[in-house]
Amino acid sequence: MEQAVQFSLIVEEYSFSILSVMKKMTNNYSEAIKSAILKSRYRAAALANKELLSLYYGIGKFVSENSRKGAWGTGAIDTISERLQQELPGLRGFSTGNIKRMRIFYEQWNEYLINRTSLTYDLEKPYNQNIEIRTLSTHDLEKLPPGFLNIGFTHHYEIINKTKSLEERLFYIRQCAAEFWNIEKLQYNLKSKLYAKRGKLTNNFPATIPDKDLQRKALMSFKDEYLLDYINIEDPDDEPDERVLESEIVGNIRKFIMSLGKDFSFIGSQYRLVVEEQEYFVDLLFFNRQLQSLIAIELKSGVFKPEYLGKMNFYLSALDDLVRLPHENPSVGIILCKSQNQRVVEYAFRDTTKPMGVATYKTAAKLPAKYKNILPDAEKLKELL
């Protein structure tokens, strides 16, 4: 009887093992198929995007050469758009506004392409019976800047519309392509002037991070000013209480992470540390995958004060001893305050031992003077509501 029970247990254990193996194999198979489907979709989307950008460039050139030189009369683009809608019912993307955007797309990139590749794009004469719009060839497309073909036309137009230099434009194209920014994130980063602010954080990284590559990564992971335009305060001149500021950030954590940049994961607010039976709380704690470091953020509603660094230095020491895992790099601290005096910060950083930076935040842009008498004030709006 005992042998029968043992045999039954062995069979049951063996069956369980077989089922586990089969389940793992099935999971692996489904993951492999899913991965193939996603890769195929991505390739198809990339090819479609390449064709679309090429087409829009060609149409933009055709419209530019005929409309800018007076070959077409007033309202020609409106007429073309209406005719396309009539002859190709359901066609999208060829409104009057979008055709004009194609013209801008061509005009903004034409000089760059000519300078880089010495290409010529010959069109038939406007009134030839066989009018042909030449799109970019595969060879031409390969000579475009890296990432150009990986982002959509809407992204391209937004970048063209909001940037001032070629270097800035190329920066946003590379970032969009590398980090898969959606249009919302691109618009946010353009509005917060990421290009101008990246790498300018006031910091002590050279003195506290020996590894030069990690120094560079740390510097590029933070900005010197963060746009917190979702913070709900009635008057931009008011100093929000630090707890109110923290509450608004936590309530809009997705937007705050968007303002921080890629590779940040939120761990918690008022993160509790216990040292010698005393409780201490870090305002916001994140983890950055690129740096492989815990990131402590302290919120200050006013101007930077030197004593803030002593408190942050203590938090970083505690985090490194009590929270940091063996394979992770030392923790980094960011003090986010309303304003800072550069010389005061530089003096405060002397002889500090932990990697820290000081950044500022802006809650909302002030209303331009020319609009102040046009819009009703807050009390008037309350009455109207």
Side-chain angles (χ1 to χ4, degrees):
M1 181 67 179
E2 187 177 339
Q3 289 180 341
V5 171
Q6 288 179 347
F7 179 74
S8 176
L9 289 171
I10 291 170
V11 170
E12 185 177 342
E13 184 178 347
Y14 178 74
S15 300
F16 179 77
S17 299
I18 292 294
L19 287 171
S20 298
V21 170
M22 290 179 66
K23 185 176 180 181
K24 287 179 182 178
M25 290 174 66
T26 304
N27 288 340
N28 290 339
Y29 294 153
S30 62
E31 282 297 318
I33 293 171
K34 183 179 80 172
S35 177
I37 292 170
L38 292 175
K39 286 179 181 177
S40 177
R41 285 180 177 177
Y42 179 79
R43 286 195 300 270
L47 287 171
N49 189 59
K50 182 196 295 185
E51 289 298 320
L52 199 63
L53 290 177
S54 176
L55 173 65
Y56 284 1
Y57 185 90
I59 292 174
K61 175 178 172 59
F62 179 71
V63 173
S64 177
E65 292 194 341
N66 287 280
S67 63
R68 298 297 194 197
K69 297 175 183 178
W72 292 349
T74 304
I77 296 177
D78 293 319
T79 304
I80 290 171
S81 177
E82 290 172 9
R83 188 70 180 267
L84 287 171
Q85 298 300 326
Q86 292 170 3
E87 298 189 6
L88 298 170
L91 180 69
R92 294 186 178 184
F94 289 88
S95 64
T96 299
N98 223 35
I99 292 174
K100 289 179 179 178
R101 291 186 187 96
M102 294 174 203
R103 179 174 63 183
I104 292 170
F105 178 61
Y106 159 75
E107 290 171 350
Q108 289 293 317
W109 282 107
N110 179 49
E111 185 178 350
Y112 172 86
L113 288 173
I114 290 174
N115 290 341
R116 278 289 297 265
T117 62
S118 300
L119 299 174
T120 56
Y121 302 90
D122 296 321
L123 296 170
E124 301 292 339
K125 292 181 181 180
Y127 299 103
N128 191 297
Q129 290 291 328
N130 299 311
I131 296 173
E132 181 185 357
I133 294 177
R134 301 274 183 88
T135 58
L136 297 173
S137 70
T138 302
H139 179 67
D140 301 333
L141 290 167
E142 290 172 353
K143 295 181 181 180
L144 287 163
F148 188 95
L149 299 173
N150 297 94
I151 67 174
F153 180 70
T154 305
H155 286 67
H156 273 293
Y157 184 74
E158 196 73 23
I159 291 170
I160 287 170
N161 202 32
K162 300 288 174 61
T163 55
K164 296 178 180 178
S165 67
L166 178 61
E167 291 75 17
E168 185 180 5
R169 191 187 303 174
L170 295 174
F171 167 81
Y172 285 109
I173 288 173
R174 286 194 299 268
Q175 293 298 112
C176 281
E179 299 181 21
F180 304 101
W181 288 354
N182 58 26
I183 192 66
E184 180 188 18
K185 185 157 188 176
L186 170 62
Q187 288 170 337
Y188 179 88
N189 285 325
L190 285 165
K191 185 178 180 181
S192 64
K193 303 185 187 306
L194 176 63
Y195 173 74
K197 295 173 182 175
R198 182 62 65 91
K200 294 186 177 180
L201 176 78
T202 307
N203 66 88
N204 66 351
F205 297 159
T208 57
I209 303 177
D211 187 303
K212 296 294 183 184
D213 186 53
L214 193 60
Q215 268 185 40
R216 181 187 58 79
K217 288 180 180 178
L219 185 58
M220 297 308 292
S221 293
F222 304 102
K223 293 177 280 188
D224 67 331
E225 184 180 68
Y226 292 91
L227 178 62
L228 309 182
D229 55 352
Y230 47 83
I231 299 297
N232 186 24
I233 57 173
E234 291 186 3
D235 186 349
D237 291 326
D238 287 346
E239 294 285 355
D241 178 83
E242 289 164 11
R243 289 291 166 262
V244 172
L245 188 62
E246 180 185 321
S247 176
E248 290 288 333
I249 287 174
V250 173
N252 294 275
I253 195 63
R254 178 175 170 273
K255 291 182 179 179
F256 186 66
I257 291 175
M258 186 186 295
S259 67
L260 288 176
K262 70 170 186 175
D263 292 329
F264 282 88
S265 299
F266 181 52
I267 296 177
S269 62
Q270 291 300 301
Y271 189 86
R272 180 172 173 265
L273 295 169
V274 180
V275 180
E276 293 296 313
E277 300 183 359
Q278 288 274 1
E279 291 183 322
Y280 301 90
F281 297 90
V282 180
D283 285 347
L284 299 168
L285 187 63
F286 293 83
F287 185 80
N288 184 282
R289 292 178 59 222
Q290 181 80 5
L291 300 177
Q292 284 293 295
S293 297
L294 292 164
I295 310 296
I297 296 180
E298 279 292 289
L299 305 170
K300 301 299 177 185
S301 60
V303 66
F304 169 83
K305 296 178 182 178
E307 52 263 37
Y308 295 159
L309 291 187
K311 186 177 181 182
M312 177 60 80
N313 198 77
F314 169 78
Y315 284 159
L316 296 179
S317 295
L319 286 168
D320 285 343
D321 283 352
L322 305 175
V323 183
R324 180 170 67 104
L325 297 177
H327 69 278
E328 293 173 354
N329 291 313
S331 306
V332 177
I334 300 295
I335 296 167
L336 193 58
C337 49
K338 185 70 175 177
S339 61
Q340 60 171 303
N341 182 294
Q342 196 76 13
R343 182 61 63 86
V344 171
V345 176
E346 289 173 3
Y347 282 151
F349 271 140
R350 289 188 183 180
D351 303 320
T352 52
T353 59
K354 297 292 183 182
M356 290 180 278
V358 177
T360 57
Y361 64 85
K362 183 164 59 177
T363 54
K366 293 182 181 179
L367 190 66
K370 64 180 180 179
Y371 294 127
K372 284 186 177 179
N373 296 324
I374 298 174
L375 298 177
D377 59 23
E379 291 303 318
K380 185 66 176 175
L381 282 172
K382 287 178 184 176
E383 292 176 16
L384 292 172
L385 291 171

